[in-house]
């Protein structure tokens, strides 16, 4: 590894990114394609992931495919995973479990449907996809990377929002990351998480726009500002590339220092 390319390249690898129809997932997809990976993009808004796949192919000259799927349904996961493997021509060896939902509501009245959907999307889908990726890699005796999109609210509670389902599922995802890292280390499958702070996306822009919220979030952030979606790119490439070959079970904060004080 005596070149920058050698440290950070993922050329020759096949990545699957969930939730690549908007927000951070789009930046994860750009980052991995820029670093040379072929990419499969999954979300319910099929038109968006197909359009992004075309853009990535043109821009970075990688193979890219967009597949429509609702990851809260195991049958969709099964079909989408098979389609991604088929389109990219072999085992997925980089998985980014990024799709997520963040329903809000007072804990004492929190709607069960919202709770169950958050568990399905934020926690069960990452497990089901990780299992599929790991089974194929273990059978082929190949190494791989799994990157889970956690949150600052995996570690701390929110004083701005009522986020019981989100906080619980992201904390679950963070410790699932550690458990899978331990179980799959002997197979060379490294499992890590990214824990972003406040970054404007479709999921967060409504909340950020409410009077006083942006100022409050900035005040809680040592760097004094919200993140930008593209600031997730470096962390994704790092955790997917040879640069992080001795890192597994880690939760990498990309939060402007939010969880440091
Ligand atoms: N932005 C932040 O401040 C922040 C902070 C910490 C963590 N995060 C995490 O980052 C991840 C991305 O969030 P974002 O901020 O980029 O929000 P976003 O723009 O709303 O993106 C969420 C993505 O998840 C997908 N998704 C949701 N439900 C799905 C389902 N049932 N099946 C398939 N895909 C589904 C959406 O695609 P479709 O609607 O097309 O299905 C979309 O692509 C989430 O896990 C979130 O918790 C974000």
């Amino acid at each position: 590894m005596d070149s920058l390319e050698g440290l950070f390249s993922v050329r020759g690898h096949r990545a699957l990114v969930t939730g690549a129809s908007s927000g951070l997932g789009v930046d994860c997809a750009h980052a991995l394609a820029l670093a040379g990976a072929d990419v499969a993009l999954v979300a319910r808004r099929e038109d968006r992931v197909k359009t992004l796949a075309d853009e990535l192919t043109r821009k970075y000259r990688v193979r890219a495919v967009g597949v429509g799927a609702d990851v809260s349904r195991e049958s969709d996961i099964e079909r989408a995973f098979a389609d991604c493997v088929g389109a990219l021509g072999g085992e997925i060896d980089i998985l980014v479990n990024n799709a997520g939902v963040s329903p809000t509501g007072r804990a004492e009245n929190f709607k069960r449907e919202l709770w169950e959907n958050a568990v399905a999307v934020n926690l069960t889908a990452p497990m089901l996809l990780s299992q599929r990726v790991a089974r194929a890699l273990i059978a082929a005796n190949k190494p791989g990377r799994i990157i889970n999109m956690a949150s600052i609210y995996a570690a701390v509670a929110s004083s701005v929002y009522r986020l019981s389902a989100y906080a619980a599922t992201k904390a679950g995802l963070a410790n699932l990351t550690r458990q899978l890292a331990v179980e799959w280390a002997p197979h060379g499958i490294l499992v890590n998480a990214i824990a972003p702070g406040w970054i404007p996306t479709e999921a967060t822009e409504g909340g950020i726009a409410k009077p006083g919220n942006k100022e409050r979030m900035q005040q809680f952030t040592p760097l004094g500002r919200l993140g930008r979606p593209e600031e997730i790119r470096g962390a994704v490439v790092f955790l997917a590339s040879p640069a992080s070959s001795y890192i597994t079970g880690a939760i990498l904060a990309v939060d402007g220092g939010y969880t440091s004080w």
Side-chain angles (χ1 to χ4, degrees):
M1 278 193 284
D2 54 1
S3 69
L4 205 55
E5 171 78 9
L7 258 187
F8 292 109
S9 173
V10 289
R11 199 163 298 285
H13 293 273
R14 287 178 281 267
L16 190 164
V17 181
T18 66
S21 59
S22 64
L24 305 187
V26 173
D27 281 90
C28 292
H30 271 278
L32 292 168
L34 170 68
D38 292 331
V39 285
L41 314 173
V42 175
R44 286 169 301 181
R45 287 170 290 180
E46 190 173 7
D47 52 329
R48 289 212 189 182
V49 284
K50 286 192 183 305
T51 303
L52 179 60
D54 290 344
E55 183 189 341
L56 298 180
T57 298
R58 276 197 310 277
K59 193 165 178 184
Y60 306 107
R61 303 193 178 286
V62 295
R63 204 188 290 196
V65 62
V67 175
D70 180 342
V71 299
S72 69
R73 298 186 191 157
E74 187 162 2
S75 55
D76 272 31
I77 289 180
E78 186 71 45
R79 172 186 52 76
F81 183 71
D83 287 354
C84 293
V85 171
L88 298 190
E91 293 92 4
I92 302 294
D93 58 2
I94 300 169
L95 169 65
V96 183
N97 283 310
N98 165 78
V101 290
S102 45
T104 54
R106 289 182 174 273
E108 62 273 26
N109 296 323
F110 206 84
K111 295 263 184 302
R112 182 162 182 159
E113 312 86 79
L114 294 180
W115 175 274
E116 285 179 352
N117 187 53
V119 172
V121 176
N122 295 356
L123 193 52
T124 307
M127 179 61 176
L128 295 177
L129 274 164
S130 297
Q131 287 180 307
R132 282 165 173 79
V133 166
R135 281 198 294 260
L137 291 175
I138 291 167
N141 200 20
K142 289 183 177 168
R145 304 293 178 96
I146 296 174
I147 302 165
N148 294 322
M149 200 59 78
S151 166
I152 50 176
Y153 298 128
V156 297
S158 171
S159 62
V160 180
Y161 285 112
R162 296 171 186 277
L163 283 173
S164 51
Y166 188 75
T169 54
K170 291 296 182 179
L173 184 61
N175 216 34
L176 177 65
T177 300
R178 297 185 189 97
Q179 187 66 35
L180 298 182
V182 170
E183 293 196 26
W184 293 339
H187 302 290
I189 301 170
L190 311 190
V191 188
N192 292 291
I194 297 172
W198 282 100
I199 301 176
T201 62
E202 283 182 16
T204 56
E205 59 198 6
I208 292 169
K210 287 193 181 145
N213 273 0
K214 186 174 178 189
E215 292 68 27
R216 211 156 146 214
M217 291 163 190
Q218 292 183 154
Q219 192 191 343
F220 290 145
T221 306
L223 287 184
R225 64 172 175 83
L226 305 185
R228 295 184 288 271
E230 65 270 20
E231 288 182 306
I232 220 70
R233 294 186 185 197
V236 174
V237 170
F238 174 61
L239 291 177
S241 67
S244 60
S245 56
Y246 197 51
I247 299 177
T248 197
I251 315 292
L252 176 58
V254 181
D255 66 356
Y258 190 100
T259 46
S260 296
W261 58 9

